[in-house]
Amino acid sequence: MGRKRKPEVGFVMAVVFLLLLCSSVSPLSDEGKALMTMKASFRNVANVLQDWNDVPNSDLCSWRGVFCDNISLSVVSLNLSSLNLGGEISPAIGDLRNLQSIDFQGNKLTGPPKLVILQMDMAIHTFDDIMRVTENLSEKYIVGYGASSTVYKCVLKSSRPIAIKRLYNQCPHNLREFETELETIGSIRHRNIVSLHGYALCQYGNLLFYDYMENGSLWDLLHGPSKKVKLDWETRLKIAVGAAQGLAYLHHDCNPRIIHRDVKSSNILLDENFEPRLSDFGIAKSIPTALPHASTYVLGTIGYIDPEYARTSRLNEKSDVYSFGIVLLELLTGKKAVDNESNLHQLIMSKADDNTVMEAVDPEVSVTCLDLNKVKKTFQLALLCTKRHPLDRPTMQEVSRVLLSLLPPPPAKPTSAPPKPIDYSKFVIDKGQKQQPQLKHQQQVKQENNSSDAQWFVQFGEVISKNTL
Ligand SMILES: *[C@@H]1O[C@H](CO)[C@@H](O)[C@H](O)[C@H]1NC(C)=O
Ligand SMILES: *[C@@H]1O[C@H](CO)[C@@H](O)[C@H](O)[C@H]1NC(C)=O
Ligand SMILES: *[C@@H]1O[C@H](CO)[C@@H](O)[C@H](O)[C@H]1NC(C)=O
Ligand SMILES: *[C@@H]1O[C@H](CO)[C@@H](O)[C@H](O)[C@H]1NC(C)=O
Ligand SMILES: *[C@@H]1O[C@H](CO)[C@@H](O)[C@H](O)[C@H]1NC(C)=O
Ligand SMILES: *[C@@H]1O[C@H](CO)[C@@H](O)[C@H](O)[C@H]1NC(C)=O
Ligand SMILES: *[C@@H]1O[C@H](CO)[C@@H](O)[C@H](O)[C@H]1NC(C)=O
């Protein structure tokens, strides 16, 4: 019997071995196949994605850059950053149904013409989702027309609504440059800047995907037909502060620095809390740091364009400061930058000469502002921003500091130290001009006796008009 048993044991063991083998050779799941399709459309994968393989026992959850949910074993995250990949991101990424985050930075990847990947509220949406929801960008979903684009609203499942901007310009004149610019803009995250979540260059035109802003633009609020909301002084000041901080961020904290180039009230959007967000970098351009005065063709909007920039075509962030000054004037007066033949800046300049600027204040501001000195200071600031010579204009950092100082202190600290006085004279007088000590003196007087405010303002107006006109 002993002799007969041996082959049986061997046979059983062989079967068990085969069973074990079979159970571990599973074909790739749909997600595995999607990843393999993606790998096929990448280039330079030889060294970095070796373990992405359709071979027995390949566990996609252990593949480089692939992260799975421990329980469902479904792919939740892809991180292929800085792997020097080239080629395209395949639309097969849409088959990774539970994907929540992706990081493809530091590669030279492009999407196929109609791919977009949006990451909103931890859910990935693809171009096809968006086309389905908007019925291929049906007119029904149009919420506005801009100077350079039509805007659609798209409400995706389980996430915040997005605004889709479809650019009129069908063919960016340098596609590569355009994409680089979009990537730069897409990487910016600031509470006062509308986030660009993605873009698609496709047969439907060039599409940009942004957060949707519930409360429309500052232009709509100030001049729109509905005028549902009356903007009190403090709200206006907060909007000015936020917009100034967003611009200061673009000018001073971004690398490369960014000049917006089209600052105006219709490009300041308001979220549901009336927090302002700068939008429409459609014509923004990163400034190469080596070329401080890049010469370029003039773009912008009439009424807001820095005349110096229009004259010389020399791009400088102070052009944004000029346009921001015009926005301040709009906030103060409730008037449009240009209305019929009337130019707001010219109007205010002539009133500054006559010392009648305060007549131009929007009644809604007068009745809600408890301290008209702050209104005056804001006028002064606006006139500084719009001084003829870019060098005489403050930086956006200085502008936002001044505006912030005009906001009432937060209620939490009612007995805080008096706010640090702002040295306005620094802005008012050209360096080297002899008037400085006198003006400083004036300012000190002003702090003690507010009846001399008017005097100071007159002098301010004189300085401004001498240098500007
Ligand atoms: C998944 O597994 C990793 C490592 O084994 C562990 O650190 C993590 O907490 C797990 N996550 C969940 C949601 O179980
Ligand atoms: C992706 O990986 C890189 C390098 O390991 C890391 O610096 C980066 O933070 C990761 N990205 C995300 C979104 O986790
Ligand atoms: C959108 O376009 C696709 C392909 O062009 C088509 O199959 C689909 O029916 C269109 N959907 C609508 C709602 O028009
Ligand atoms: C601003 O947004 C809030 C929240 O969506 C909404 O209730 C309110 O009506 C909006 N106001 C205007 C003026 O659009
Ligand atoms: C602008 O012009 C139109 C017609 O030319 C006129 O009806 C309107 O009152 C003018 N608006 C202002 C603010 O002057
Ligand atoms: C304010 O200044 C004026 C003259 O400039 C003076 O007559 C007046 O007494 C001052 N008031 C106070 C409270 O100092
Ligand atoms: C003058 O300033 C004081 C304190 O700074 C303030 O209480 C007072 O209301 C001001 N008067 C006028 C007319 O602005």
Side-chain angles (χ1 to χ4, degrees), residues 76-133:
V76 292
S77 164
L78 281 180
N79 184 347
L80 303 179
S81 68
S82 306
L83 297 183
N84 195 28
L85 295 172
E88 287 188 348
I89 303 167
S90 162
I93 191 171
D95 295 339
L96 302 172
R97 282 290 155 200
N98 295 303
L99 195 57
Q100 288 167 4
S101 81
I102 46 172
D103 187 344
F104 290 161
Q105 283 179 39
N107 294 298
K108 295 206 165 58
L109 293 169
T110 55
K114 63 179 214 94
L115 174 79
V116 64
I117 301 157
L118 283 185
Q119 217 183 324
M120 310 267 312
D121 288 0
M122 300 301 283
I124 298 276
H125 301 285
T126 62
F127 186 84
D128 293 338
D129 293 334
I130 289 159
M131 286 300 139
R132 202 168 41 243
V133 168

Side-chain angles (χ1 to χ4, degrees), residues 214-215 221 228-229 271-272 274:
E214 292 294 340
N215 278 315
L221 287 181
K228 275 175 288 183
V229 185
D271 71 11
E272 63 275 19
F274 280 90

Side-chain angles (χ1 to χ4, degrees), residues 147-167:
S148 59
S149 59
T150 306
V151 186
Y152 301 78
K153 181 180 180 179
C154 171
V155 183
L156 291 159
K157 208 172 58 149
S158 72
S159 67
R160 295 166 56 112
I162 58 169
I164 304 174
K165 278 197 175 178
R166 179 185 193 168
L167 303 183

Side-chain angles (χ1 to χ4, degrees), residues 162-220:
I162 58 169
I164 304 174
K165 278 197 175 178
R166 179 185 193 168
L167 303 183
Y168 297 141
N169 185 355
Q170 283 293 318
C171 176
H173 102 154
N174 182 339
L175 193 64
R176 189 70 219 124
E177 192 184 341
F178 185 64
E179 285 195 73
T180 308
E181 194 171 335
L182 291 177
E183 274 155 28
T184 307
I185 293 160
S187 66
I188 297 172
R189 291 288 178 270
H190 185 276
R191 70 194 288 239
N192 298 117
I193 294 172
V194 176
S195 300
L196 174 70
H197 287 283
Y199 62 90
L201 311 173
C202 69
Q203 81 260 31
Y204 294 98
N206 300 308
L207 310 179
L208 307 180
F209 303 90
Y210 292 97
D211 282 330
Y212 181 80
M213 290 295 121
E214 292 294 340
N215 278 315
S217 75
L218 179 58
W219 194 97
D220 295 335

Side-chain angles (χ1 to χ4, degrees), residues 68-71:
C68 293
D69 179 81
N70 292 353
I71 296 156

